[in-house]
């Protein structure tokens, strides 16, 4: 799975990379969680935003990154 943007001629990632969608399996891998954990999070509303086109589940790379960064802490007693 590739969750890092590839670079073009001037060393910049493509502008659409973070707006791209990935599968549930790729999202679980990116967040270092199991697929089942992501499924539980969707039921409870805890996890990152997701999209459900038909029966499939997709995550936008930008949403995963923002959600993960929002949980960054400096120490264990920080809320």
């Amino acid at each position: 799975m590739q969750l890092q943007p590839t670079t073009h001629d001037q060393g910049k990632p493509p502008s659409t990379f973070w707006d791209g969608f990935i599968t549930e399996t790729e999202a679980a891998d990116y967040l270092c969680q199991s697929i089942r954990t992501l499924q539980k999070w969707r039921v409870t509303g805890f996890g990152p935003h997701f999209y459900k086109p038909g029966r499939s589940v997709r995550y936008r790379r930008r949403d995963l990154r923002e959600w993960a960064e929002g949980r960054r802490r400096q120490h264990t007693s920080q809320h």
Side-chain angles (χ1 to χ4, degrees), residues 34-46:
S34 70
I35 293 171
R36 186 68 183 126
T37 296
L38 264 62
Q39 292 168 346
K40 288 178 185 177
W41 287 352
R42 286 197 303 270
V43 170
T44 62
F46 173 74

Side-chain angles (χ1 to χ4, degrees), residues 7-61:
T7 57
H8 288 295
D9 296 333
Q10 295 146 342
K12 294 181 181 178
S15 60
T16 58
F17 177 81
W18 290 107
D19 290 324
F21 290 93
I22 59 174
T23 66
E24 177 182 41
T25 302
E26 293 169 316
D29 187 42
Y30 177 70
L31 295 173
C32 301
Q33 299 293 327
S34 70
I35 293 171
R36 186 68 183 126
T37 296
L38 264 62
Q39 292 168 346
K40 288 178 185 177
W41 287 352
R42 286 197 303 270
V43 170
T44 62
F46 173 74
H49 292 274
F50 65 94
Y51 299 82
K52 195 154 173 49
R55 297 180 71 191
S56 62
V57 174
R58 296 291 183 263
Y59 290 87
R60 193 171 63 159
R61 290 181 182 106

